[in-house]
């Protein structure tokens, strides 16, 4: 399962749980969701903006998005925590990416992603952000 597919499955489950009233938002959930959505938006901008950046900056922004999710996760419990944890887990491949060449060949297993992989990861973050924004307004 690729990153975007994992995020779509996660978002679909969240939407079902909210619709079926299995997941009832608290005001604290809404606040964390709104703040996290804003943080993700600050990390990953519009496609035109991201694609104009050097890959080292794109990777830094993706890692920042994973960190934003992890920080938010540390402040919640229950369904929002489970959602944030699953979202961060789906994005973990970016933690094994590298943007710099490895002149001596030793990279701790880090790999160079393709431009398409950057686009997919950035779009996954945007999808998480829009879902969190929806949660915040639910």
């Amino acid at each position: 399962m690729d990153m975007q597919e994992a995020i779509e499955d996660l978002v679909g489950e969240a939407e079902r749980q909210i619709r079926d009233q299995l997941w009832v938002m608290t005001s604290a959930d809404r606040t964390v969701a709104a703040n996290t959505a804003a943080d993700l938006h600050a990390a990953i901008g519009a496609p035109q903006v991201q694609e104009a950046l050097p890959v080292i900056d794109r990777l830094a922004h993706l890692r920042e998005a994973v960190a934003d999710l992890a920080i938010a996760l540390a402040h919640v419990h229950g369904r929002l925590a489970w959602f944030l944890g699953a979202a961060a887990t789906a994005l973990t491949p970016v933690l094994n990416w590298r943007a710099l060449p490895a002149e001596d060949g030793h990279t701790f297993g880090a790999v160079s992603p393709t431009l398409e992989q950057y686009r997919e990861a950035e779009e996954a973050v945007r999808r998480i952000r829009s879902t969190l924004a929806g949660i915040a307004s639910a």
Side-chain angles (χ1 to χ4, degrees):
M1 180 181 306
D2 71 0
M3 192 180 306
Q4 282 188 305
E5 187 178 344
I7 295 301
E8 285 306 318
D9 287 350
L10 175 64
V11 166
E13 181 179 347
E15 290 171 345
R16 279 188 301 281
Q17 287 188 23
I18 292 168
R19 181 187 62 240
D20 295 345
Q21 297 183 351
L22 297 171
W23 185 1
V24 179
M25 296 301 134
T26 65
S27 62
D29 285 346
R30 285 188 195 92
T31 299
V32 170
N35 292 341
T36 306
D39 291 343
L40 293 177
H41 181 69
I44 303 294
Q48 318 81 290
V49 173
Q50 290 304 123
E51 291 176 12
L53 295 173
V55 293
I56 196 164
D57 293 332
R58 289 176 79 175
L59 181 54
H61 289 199
L62 284 165
R63 289 176 178 162
E64 181 180 339
V66 174
D68 291 336
L69 291 169
I71 290 167
L73 174 61
H75 298 284
V76 294
H77 300 282
R79 294 185 194 276
L80 184 56
W82 305 334
F83 176 83
L84 293 170
T89 298
L91 293 173
T92 57
V94 305
L95 300 177
N96 196 41
W97 290 357
R98 63 182 173 87
L100 298 175
E103 295 168 11
D104 64 2
H106 299 283
T107 65
F108 299 97
V111 297
S112 296
T114 65
L115 291 177
E116 184 58 29
Q117 287 174 303
Y118 278 109
R119 282 186 212 100
E120 289 175 3
E122 291 160 351
E123 192 54 41
V125 171
R126 289 185 196 98
R127 185 68 170 111
I128 295 165
R129 183 199 56 77
S130 70
T131 301
L132 288 169
I135 288 170
S137 65

